[in-house]
Amino acid sequence: MKKYILTVCLMMSFLLLTGCGRKKNTNPLVSPTPQPTAPIESEQPSPTIAETEDGTNADRKDTWTIADFYPALEDMEYVYKGVGMEYASFTVFMDYFDKDTNRYQTRTDNGGTVTAKVMEIKDGKLSVIKSVGEAYYRDNLLDTEAEKDVEVLLMEPLVRGTRWTLPDGSERYISNINVKVETDLGTYDAIEVKTEGTDSTTKDYYSPGVGLIKSIFRSEEYEVSSTLSEIKTNTPYKLAVDFYYPEQDEKIHVVQKEITFHTNDVTRLVLEKAVKEKVLNNNYVPLISTNTKINSMYLGKDHIVYVDFSKELIEEMEAGSGFEQLILQSITNTLGSYYGVKEVCITVDQKPYESGHILLKEGETLKVNMDLVVR
């Protein structure tokens, strides 16, 4: 039964909302976008989404596109209130957005797990091209290759009757238009997208300028719903990160810091800044000097963290062989814990780490080791 509940939870967690980048990234950033469209007041006429199945447009913009129903909104957290199961409530934040490729990376936290998803708007379709479970770290996955089984969430034309088949054989189609959906924020005008599986159905409701506002999953045993209840503006993503520092006692100590990530912030630069911050305990040995740069950092498909430092890591270390080993172990523990893996490959200016005391071979890794850690 628990496995079934978790399966239902994962089906619900494809919910998508957004944020747009304002911070630096390797790709050009999109300009700030308008705030979400306000809920429809009951006494006011609502904008018509679509009037006929053949796409005839009346009293609305010429053609609605997926971009209208999937807006790019930076540093905004969407909160959903769930009914029917433990994991039906969740929050969504957008880690990254690239306007050139029309790719988005969202982070969904339902209290049981965190899922990172890469979405792409292409050829009139909004698709999930990659999904990573237990994504407790934050890293840019926008350049990832699309998975074999791509899930299409929305397809143009956005009119009643548009239909497509999912990789698992389920049928998904736009089942209704101009549906009034009640939420804690007010009433929204939405399109209804229905998914018919072997023994379940799901209805998702999208409103222009806002995105997904409600999802209802039904099976013979369950009815689970998640409804937008709050939109938090100017709310970057915050994550508690453990940093490991050597001390004069030749032990390694842990300092937990709350790290703030804005949409499109580069993770390595945020962590570089955090690790350089002065630690309250003056006996802790710094991991890197103020001039040291993290040139690159990523989690490989082999579950090894690859990090490349500038030459100042070695030139300005000012440590004997014993403390140099402790520093490298502390860097390994910090990055290994952040990504949730056991091995880290450290290079300097794209060459194997080599100092007067320590020489690493090409591709050699250091293992996360907590034997000397004092908590």
Side-chain angles (χ1 to χ4, degrees):
M1 180 65 69
K2 182 176 181 181
K3 181 176 180 182
Y4 181 80
I5 293 176
L6 290 176
T7 301
V8 175
C9 170
L10 291 175
M11 293 181 68
M12 298 290 292
S13 69
F14 73 79
L15 302 166
L16 313 164
L17 287 180
T18 66
C20 151
R22 69 165 186 172
K23 297 293 180 180
K24 294 181 179 178
N25 195 357
T26 54
N27 296 313
L29 302 184
V30 69
S31 300
T33 57
Q35 296 299 310
T37 303
I40 299 166
E41 299 295 338
S42 58
E43 66 272 14
Q44 298 294 330
S46 61
T48 305
I49 293 175
E51 295 299 336
T52 64
E53 294 186 14
D54 63 5
T56 302
N57 304 316
D59 299 325
R60 71 182 189 98
K61 63 183 292 184
D62 290 341
T63 304
W64 286 108
T65 66
I66 288 174
D68 296 315
F69 290 81
Y70 198 81
L73 303 169
E74 62 176 319
D75 287 354
M76 299 185 74
E77 183 179 44
Y78 284 66
V79 181
Y80 292 83
K81 182 170 61 178
V83 176
M85 69 176 303
E86 180 182 1
Y87 302 113
S89 297
F90 58 90
T91 61
V92 178
F93 179 81
M94 181 166 288
D95 286 340
Y96 298 94
F97 166 69
D98 183 356
K99 69 174 183 179
D100 292 330
T101 61
N102 276 332
R103 286 190 174 188
Y104 307 73
Q105 180 179 320
T106 61
R107 169 175 303 276
T108 302
D109 187 343
N110 65 9
T113 188
V114 178
T115 303
K117 294 195 175 184
V118 178
M119 266 76 66
E120 181 180 63
I121 298 177
K122 185 177 181 181
D123 299 329
K125 300 176 184 178
L126 172 64
S127 305
V128 179
I129 65 172
K130 188 175 184 64
S131 180
V132 179
E134 298 185 353
Y136 302 111
Y137 62 93
R138 176 190 180 277
D139 218 349
N140 191 336
L141 306 175
L142 291 183
D143 291 335
T144 188
E145 294 183 4
E147 295 176 341
K148 182 178 179 181
D149 294 327
V150 171
E151 179 187 4
V152 177
L153 302 175
L154 278 175
M155 180 183 292
E156 297 173 1
L158 299 178
V159 296
R160 186 187 295 111
T162 299
R163 178 182 294 265
W164 60 99
T165 303
L166 301 182
D168 65 358
S170 300
E171 292 293 319
R172 180 170 288 168
Y173 58 95
I174 298 177
S175 51
N176 210 341
I177 53 177
N178 296 324
V179 180
K180 297 293 189 293
V181 179
E182 299 286 342
T183 75
D184 289 347
L185 298 177
T187 302
Y188 289 95
D189 209 16
I191 60 173
E192 178 186 84
V193 178
K194 187 174 183 180
T195 305
E196 296 180 343
T198 303
D199 52 11
S200 66
T201 62
T202 302
K203 290 183 179 180
D204 299 304
Y205 297 89
Y206 297 86
S207 183
V210 182
L212 185 68
I213 56 174
K214 188 166 186 174
S215 182
I216 304 173
F217 172 88
R218 291 189 177 95
S219 68
E220 292 183 358
E221 299 182 50
Y222 291 97
E223 177 171 316
V224 182
S225 67
S226 301
T227 307
L228 182 65
S229 62
E230 187 177 3
I231 299 176
K232 297 180 180 180
T233 61
N234 300 317
T235 305
Y237 176 67
K238 295 185 177 181
L239 179 65
V241 178
D242 288 337
F243 292 85
Y244 293 80
Y245 293 92
E247 195 180 5
Q248 301 299 331
D249 61 4
E250 298 187 1
K251 296 291 185 179
I252 297 176
H253 297 257
V254 185
V255 177
Q256 188 175 86
K257 302 180 183 180
E258 186 179 68
I259 307 302
T260 298
F261 295 98
H262 296 274
T263 301
N264 272 8
D265 267 353
V266 180
T267 297
R268 63 180 172 84
L269 298 182
V270 175
L271 293 186
E272 177 189 302
K273 179 181 178 181
V275 80
K276 289 178 180 178
E277 292 175 349
K278 184 177 180 180
V279 184
L280 293 179
N281 191 324
N282 292 325
N283 292 324
Y284 291 172
V285 178
L287 298 187
I288 62 177
S289 68
T290 56
N291 295 319
T292 301
K293 305 294 183 184
I294 300 180
N295 298 325
S296 63
M297 182 180 71
Y298 65 94
L299 178 63
K301 293 181 180 179
D302 52 6
H303 300 289
I304 296 174
V305 178
Y306 293 87
V307 57
D308 184 68
F309 292 94
S310 65
K311 64 182 185 303
E312 288 80 10
L313 174 67
I314 297 173
E315 294 178 352
E316 300 179 4
M317 186 172 287
E318 298 182 359
S321 60
F323 272 104
E324 183 177 358
Q325 291 178 339
L326 286 175
I327 289 173
L328 293 182
Q329 187 63 62
S330 296
I331 291 174
T332 299
N333 288 354
T334 298
L335 296 181
S337 297
Y338 175 76
Y339 283 99
V341 297
K342 299 298 184 182
E343 297 181 61
V344 177
C345 181
I346 298 175
T347 57
V348 176
D349 287 337
Q350 299 182 350
K351 297 179 181 179
Y353 183 94
E354 180 179 0
S355 68
H357 307 294
I358 299 175
L359 171 63
L360 299 180
K361 299 178 182 179
E362 182 79 29
E364 183 177 356
T365 63
L366 299 177
K367 308 295 191 295
V368 173
N369 189 325
M370 300 296 178
D371 291 346
L372 296 177
V373 174
V374 177
R375 296 184 179 273

